[in-house]
Amino acid sequence: MESQLGLIEQSFDLRYSGWVREALNELPDSFTITDPCISGHPIVFVSNGFLKIFGYSKDEVIGRNGRVFQGPETDRRSVMEIREAIREERAIQISLLNYRKDGTPFWMLFHMCPVFSKEDGRVINFVGVQVPIPKRPRHSGHTAVNSCENGAQLYKGAFRCCRREVCSDTVVELGRASALDSVSNPDDGEVGINDPCEARELEKRKANAAASNILSILTRYSELSGKLVCGKCCSVSGMGLLGSSLNISLGRIKQSFVLSDPHLPDMPIVYASDMFLELTGYARHEVLGHNCRFLSGLDTDPATQYQIKEYIRTEQPCTVRILNYRKDKTPFWNLLHISPVRNATGKVAYFVGVQIDDSCKNQEENGLSPHRRQLGVVGAVKVAVRSLSMGASTS
Amino acid sequence: MMLRIKRVPTVVSNFQKEEAEEDSRHAGGCGRNCFRNCCLPGAKLPMYTFKNVNKIEGEKKSVVSENKEHPVAFLDSLLLGEWEDRMQRGLFRYDVTACETKVIPGQYGFIAQLNEGRHLKKRPTEFRVDKVLQPFDENKFNFTKVGQEEVLFQFEPSTDNEVKFFPNAPIDIENSPSVVAINVSPIEYGHVLLIPRILECLPQRIDRESFLLALYMAAEAGNPYFRLGYNSLGAFATINHLHFQAYYLAVQFPIEKAPTRKITTTSGGVKICDILNYPVRGLVFEGGNTLEELSNVISDSCICLQDNNIPYNVLIADSGKRIFLLPQCYAEKQALGEVSSELLDTQVNPAVWEISGHMVLKRKEDYEEASEENAWRLLAEVSLSEERLHEVKDLLFEAISCSMEEDKGVTQNILEESDVSPQSLEDVDALKGSHPAIMSV
């Protein structure tokens, strides 16, 4: 775990330089910065303001995914909205119930926005700002549950108040008010959305300002490293690189595999998993854009290579055993499974290649044979590619 | 007068034949490697056992111990791998990934798929649609008749509170296992059937144990895009042998986007909401101090609907954290001739997936012209009216609070609308905890 934490901090420092942390911590706000390119979409920077509010130490936060601050009473639909915003690479502002380290819940306005690489338009980071929404008695037109100091929720649908004392008075006043009447109040904006603690203008302004400041700092410091970023998607890569939603989905698959694009000249690799890089010893930028034949070498059987070509041409899945070479030139027998992957049009969009080091092949992980594990990867990739190419906003 | 409609049913197994043929075959031996006594003894299947400890969510969670990265869960991987294996072995009637699909532009993003091969071209059979509870009929197709190669693995609670996988476990005929099998006419990648206690040949009706099994499966897969669904008889279940369906689709379902309005929270912490701004009216359940609490409230609701002969569908979403319960009346309307021919011509049977917003269309023109308005119009026909739903909700809340009384064995204060009095204000303080109470609407 240490090495992963180290990697995480390193990648952030590389892009923005080591000085950025100091600059970011000069801001008083609570915020986190995540990296969707690292599998698990972890937090790579956390502000002191955040640690103060949530009660965690830095080491307890870096490397975690933001969902760990949600809890049993966090509204599921809101969680879903955030998840979709991440997939669609867009900003979102939403009230959310989060939990501190001591288990106490509190409402906050969550403001999230993507940070794009100027070079290739990919999403490099997501910035998440948390503005606590203070508890206050409610007077008009909000529905259902309100949270109190210790997070205990009052279950009287008709009574829209926050503090118990106030509530009892209201109960007497309202008497037998039906929940339906009190809830459907069209003048109050979005009817019926289960959003008991709405942020006021003050909180929204705070969130917008914080996000804007953070973005300025990131932009400024990215100039130091030459890897410029900006708040808007400013360029579209011609390399056919995958969007962050597909990246995030594929990043969950913990095995060695690559995706190649047969529609680009020489069928280059457009995605390589972390474990592929570990297995072969290459860095990501050395692999993307190249055809996988670089893995073959002197003693690789050309007949096997020809076989692969044939299966690809006829869009058939196949399993072959091929001699491959790592970056350090050491050879290994690769039990390679290749399968066509279709997108939402129904046509083949990629080929997925799943590698297993033959010397490890007798290791059954959890009772699943290596072949079964390879097929699991194929399935997961097929679901991701098909689903994520269905909408209008596709990568 | 018995209400019937003609339908071309979907073939879910390679061994599903005409009912008439089944009758004559049944007598003799089999040789088809099926799931009955002729072939089952000695057979082995992979088995996945899940941890069935109820997660106590109300207590303070130890956040630091949470799994850090949320990688693909083992069950997820197993299911996808087994499914892809059957795909490569040619067990499916068609490659569903070769079927064009799209999200229809609009506020909700209904999902349409062009699938001409799903519905078998054979003479339509007649289904009785006016009774939600019908006894199991051995002579009709049931899942013990599928070939063993269509069954992917056994799915059972573990005996020692640990998740385990056995690549080759014997099938315990005495204590019928629950199994996961493929649907050979898949709607999407990974389309499977969860068949609780398959050898007991239970009819299509929900009970507490089976529903809990389904929730566990959703939770174990840990993937919000792997959803389970249930259709009661009369709500377009095709086979009267207890089963749930499930598949992967990594986009939001329209119904998941619909706003909700909370009605109440039970003493067990289960939040019950109305669905708003959606063509089909229904309820959403989430929360619960334990998975079992959540499960029981829902299964008790389903049982209440069954007992009152109200057909319904259930969608288990968000890895088992959000469940939609949708009573419907389309089949009855169809049988009474109250549905427009235009809608009937699309031959879309609004079962759980369609109601959730995923439409499989047979005709190219329907696919090309698919729009949010069309989808909305079709689904609006399925929904119960506001008044009818109100009646149904009264039934449900009564059933739920009754069951909770039985469960708890404690005197409760059930606050009815007519009983609100200053006296009951003292309960406000103690709502969560020792004085369980439920407010009905």
Side-chain angles (χ1 to χ4, degrees), chain A residues 37-84:
Chain A
C37 302
I38 301 179
S39 96
H41 194 185
I43 294 170
V44 297
F45 177 86
V46 56
S47 76
N48 289 333
F50 179 101
L51 299 177
K52 220 169 98 181
I53 292 181
F54 281 79
Y56 286 101
S57 71
K58 189 180 87 147
D59 289 335
E60 290 171 320
V61 174
I62 301 281
R64 318 300 305 284
N65 180 285
R67 76 173 65 84
V68 304
F69 307 108
Q70 297 157 14
E73 272 152 39
T74 306
D75 179 56
R76 296 305 308 169
R77 194 167 158 273
S78 305
V79 171
M80 184 188 70
E81 285 189 53
I82 296 171
R83 183 168 62 223
E84 292 301 313

Side-chain angles (χ1 to χ4, degrees), chain A residues 1 4 38-41 56 60 63-65 67-77 79-81 83-84 87-88 90 100-103 143-145 151-159 164 167-169 171-172 175-180 183-184 191-194 249 252-255 317-319 337-339 342-347 364-368 371-373 375-380 382-384 386-392, chain B residues 57-61 63-74 76-78 80-82 84-89 95-103 111-113 165-167 187-190 221-225 248-253 256-267 269 271 273-274 276-277 286-289 318 321-322 358 367 390 393 415 417-422 424-425 427-429 431-432 437 439 441:
Chain A
M1 189 57 202
Q4 225 238 341
I38 301 179
S39 96
H41 194 185
Y56 286 101
E60 290 171 320
R64 318 300 305 284
N65 180 285
R67 76 173 65 84
V68 304
F69 307 108
Q70 297 157 14
E73 272 152 39
T74 306
D75 179 56
R76 296 305 308 169
R77 194 167 158 273
V79 171
M80 184 188 70
E81 285 189 53
R83 183 168 62 223
E84 292 301 313
R87 280 180 134 207
E88 289 169 22
R90 57 178 166 79
R100 299 184 190 91
K101 179 172 177 177
D102 63 8
T143 68
V145 178
Q153 295 191 346
L154 299 175
Y155 302 149
K156 312 253 178 198
F159 316 120
R164 281 178 248 155
C167 193
S168 359
D169 295 339
V171 168
V172 172
R176 301 173 40 181
S178 95
L180 279 172
V183 150
S184 43
V191 171
I193 292 185
N194 200 357
S249 299
R252 293 173 70 221
I253 307 171
K254 298 267 170 283
Q255 291 195 65
C318 67
T319 308
H337 179 89
I338 298 175
S339 180
R342 294 167 188 275
N343 65 17
T345 65
K347 305 193 174 56
E364 275 199 353
E365 261 179 46
N366 300 318
L368 268 189
H371 184 60
R372 267 308 185 275
R373 277 185 281 132
L375 294 183
V377 173
V378 172
K382 283 185 173 182
V383 171
R386 179 170 165 84
S387 307
L388 294 172
S389 57
M390 279 170 61
Chain B
E57 303 224 28
E59 292 173 3
K60 182 189 111 170
K61 283 198 313 178
V63 171
V64 188
S65 65
E66 280 267 312
N67 60 323
K68 299 179 196 301
E69 286 197 340
H70 208 65
V72 171
F74 179 73
D76 210 28
S77 194
L78 169 68
L80 289 167
E82 291 296 311
E84 177 65 22
D85 170 70
R86 300 309 191 275
M87 178 95 169
Q88 293 192 8
R89 277 159 61 176
D95 179 357
V96 68
T97 66
C99 298
E100 212 183 315
T101 181
K102 65 185 178 187
V103 171
I111 302 147
Q113 184 191 109
F165 178 69
F166 306 90
I187 287 182
E188 263 305 329
Y189 195 90
N223 185 335
Y225 304 112
Y248 291 87
L249 189 56
V251 297
Q252 277 185 295
F253 274 11
E256 292 172 325
K257 297 188 197 179
T260 58
R261 175 184 61 207
K262 192 172 107 156
I263 301 172
T264 186
T265 304
T266 72
S267 58
K271 188 165 84 168
C273 306
D274 271 318
L276 303 173
N277 288 358
E286 51 183 85
N289 295 334
D318 198 6
K321 299 197 181 88
R322 265 185 112 204
H358 186 193
Y367 181 78
H390 198 82
K393 283 199 293 199
L415 296 172
E417 239 187 321
S418 48
D419 286 343
V420 170
S421 65
S424 51
L425 290 179
D427 295 327
V428 169
D429 278 346
L431 263 179
K432 191 173 177 151
M439 172 84 141
V441 170

Side-chain angles (χ1 to χ4, degrees), chain A residues 210-240:
Chain A
S212 174
N213 289 335
I214 296 163
L215 212 55
S216 301
I217 293 176
L218 291 180
T219 312
R220 209 183 325 137
Y221 280 80
S222 73
E223 287 162 13
L224 288 179
S225 70
K227 302 183 183 143
L228 300 169
V229 300
C230 65
K232 290 202 193 354
C233 184
C234 19
S235 90
V236 180
S237 163
M239 261 310 300

Side-chain angles (χ1 to χ4, degrees), chain A residues 4 32 44 58 70-71 81 109 126-127 131 139 146 160 179 189 198 209 217 237 289 311-312 358 373:
Chain A
Q4 225 238 341
T32 51
V44 297
K58 189 180 87 147
Q70 297 157 14
E81 285 189 53
L109 179 66
F126 282 95
V127 172
V131 179
H139 298 299
N146 296 284
R160 336 119 172 162
E198 260 202 37
I217 293 176
S237 163
Y311 275 111
I312 289 178
D358 203 17
R373 277 185 281 132

Side-chain angles (χ1 to χ4, degrees), chain B residues 233-254:
Chain B
L233 297 178
F236 300 101
T238 45
I239 292 159
N240 189 14
H241 183 177
L242 182 59
H243 65 284
F244 296 80
Q245 303 181 41
Y247 61 81
Y248 291 87
L249 189 56
V251 297
Q252 277 185 295
F253 274 11

Side-chain angles (χ1 to χ4, degrees), chain A residues 3-175:
Chain A
S3 58
Q4 225 238 341
L5 275 181
L7 268 174
I8 283 173
E9 310 228 88
Q10 199 183 54
S11 76
F12 190 67
D13 291 345
L14 272 175
R15 180 164 283 277
Y16 299 110
S17 93
W19 303 108
V20 73
R21 294 172 186 279
E22 227 179 271
L24 288 171
N25 268 321
E26 275 170 25
L27 297 172
D29 314 279
S30 163
F31 62 94
T32 51
I33 301 178
T34 62
D35 188 341
C37 302
I38 301 179
S39 96
H41 194 185
I43 294 170
V44 297
F45 177 86
V46 56
S47 76
N48 289 333
F50 179 101
L51 299 177
K52 220 169 98 181
I53 292 181
F54 281 79
Y56 286 101
S57 71
K58 189 180 87 147
D59 289 335
E60 290 171 320
V61 174
I62 301 281
R64 318 300 305 284
N65 180 285
R67 76 173 65 84
V68 304
F69 307 108
Q70 297 157 14
E73 272 152 39
T74 306
D75 179 56
R76 296 305 308 169
R77 194 167 158 273
S78 305
V79 171
M80 184 188 70
E81 285 189 53
I82 296 171
R83 183 168 62 223
E84 292 301 313
I86 292 173
R87 280 180 134 207
E88 289 169 22
E89 301 179 351
R90 57 178 166 79
I92 183 174
Q93 207 181 63
I94 189 169
S95 302
L96 195 70
L97 190 72
N98 262 190
Y99 287 70
R100 299 184 190 91
K101 179 172 177 177
D102 63 8
T104 57
F106 69 102
W107 283 94
M108 54 102 172
L109 179 66
F110 182 64
H111 177 113
M112 184 190 78
C113 55
V115 179
F116 296 90
S117 154
K118 259 193 162 158
E119 193 185 4
D120 56 19
R122 281 188 310 139
V123 173
I124 302 296
N125 298 108
F126 282 95
V127 172
V129 179
Q130 301 85 15
V131 179
I133 301 174
K135 313 156 287 286
R136 49 185 175 261
R138 207 150 311 272
H139 298 299
S140 64
H142 287 284
T143 68
V145 178
N146 296 284
S147 53
C148 289
E149 289 201 29
N150 60 356
Q153 295 191 346
L154 299 175
Y155 302 149
K156 312 253 178 198
F159 316 120
R160 336 119 172 162
C161 56
C162 210
R163 298 204 308 261
R164 281 178 248 155
E165 319 80 75
V166 179
C167 193
S168 359
D169 295 339
T170 324
V171 168
V172 172
E173 279 169 56
L174 290 181

